[in-house]
Amino acid sequence: MRKIVLLVLGMMLLLASGCNGIQVVDNTYDSIGGKKFHVADDFEYKGVVDVYTKSNCPDCSAGNNSQNIKIRSDLFVKSNGENKVESFAFIERRRIGGRFYWLPVKGPRYEFGGYPYVEMTFFSDGSDNYSQYYVGSLAQSGYDMAMKEGVVCLALERNFNKNVKGVLAQCVNTEYLPKSDMSKEEIDEYLKAEFKKVFSPVE
């Protein structure tokens, strides 16, 4: 009887601490800041991944590896059926500990799911930004990430409180953009439209 009680308690602790209360079922992420998000069904959920390692991005700085920052990364991938990545999306829950706290996020505001986020769009061709960790992680997982140019990304970021930050992001392989000669303004508008197709707030 005592063994059964200890086993049940152990499982409860594992669920509470290991998963941080977050579950992903049928591409629905539950939850960050009290909000659920569904990722489009043509994206495959790859689970919680440890992307912020030097092996994934040898030239990146170690800024995301601070011992005071705990990051949970949930990754979703859309491929062309032959392991060529068309697009990937990820949700990050970043918790900072100790006496540290997140500074206010600055930038253009974007209303999504009833919350104001800060919107960032950027192109990544191997420069030092966090999308490269994901590109490296996917390449090491066997996906074809030999891209002609790189990825274009839209990320929404929000401080849910002084210790917890959320990031929702989608990156598109530039080979799969609608046109090869799109301007920055056209790419920005395309990413915004695609983002709303990929991420859906769940009531």
Side-chain angles (χ1 to χ4, degrees), residues 24 27-29 37-49 51-52 72-79 85-93 112 122 130-131 133-135 137-138 143 145 151-156 167-173 191 194-200:
V24 179
N27 274 23
T28 298
Y29 184 99
F37 294 98
H38 180 76
V39 178
D41 293 332
D42 54 353
F43 282 73
E44 181 184 356
Y45 179 54
K46 306 306 294 185
V48 180
V49 293
V51 295
Y52 291 109
R72 171 179 165 136
S73 302
D74 289 80
L75 177 62
F76 304 79
V77 178
K78 180 180 179 180
S79 66
V85 173
E86 298 180 24
S87 178
F88 60 92
F90 56 90
I91 301 175
E92 290 186 356
R93 179 182 184 272
F112 187 69
F122 54 89
Y130 62 78
S131 71
Y133 285 100
Y134 286 90
V135 170
S137 177
L138 286 166
Y143 282 96
M145 295 301 296
V151 294
V152 285
C153 304
L154 171 63
L156 300 186
V167 178
L168 286 75
Q170 183 205 6
C171 296
V172 178
N173 184 342
L191 288 174
E194 287 298 299
F195 190 92
K196 292 179 180 178
K197 296 177 185 177
V198 174
F199 289 100
S200 304

Side-chain angles (χ1 to χ4, degrees), residues 5 23 33-34 43 45 70 73 102 116 121 126 153 158 166 172 180 200:
V5 172
Q23 296 181 7
F43 282 73
Y45 179 54
K70 305 298 182 185
S73 302
W102 295 115
T121 58
C153 304
R158 173 178 170 79
V172 178
S180 60
S200 304

Side-chain angles (χ1 to χ4, degrees), residues 17-20 22 29 32 48-52 62-74 91-98 100-102 134 158 160-167:
S17 60
C19 298
N20 292 319
I22 299 171
Y29 184 99
I32 186 165
V48 180
V49 293
D50 182 18
V51 295
Y52 291 109
N64 287 313
N65 294 328
S66 168
Q67 62 181 356
N68 295 307
I69 302 175
K70 305 298 182 185
I71 303 176
R72 171 179 165 136
S73 302
D74 289 80
I91 301 175
E92 290 186 356
R93 179 182 184 272
R94 299 182 169 209
R95 177 179 288 278
I96 195 166
F100 300 93
Y101 57 90
W102 295 115
Y134 286 90
R158 173 178 170 79
F160 284 98
N161 58 49
K162 67 178 185 178
N163 299 117
V164 177
K165 178 192 296 285
V167 178

Side-chain angles (χ1 to χ4, degrees), residues 178-196:
K179 299 187 299 181
S180 60
D181 58 346
M182 295 176 74
S183 67
K184 182 182 184 307
E185 290 72 22
E186 288 177 316
I187 290 174
D188 287 351
E189 289 305 311
Y190 171 77
L191 288 174
K192 289 178 183 178
E194 287 298 299
F195 190 92
K196 292 179 180 178

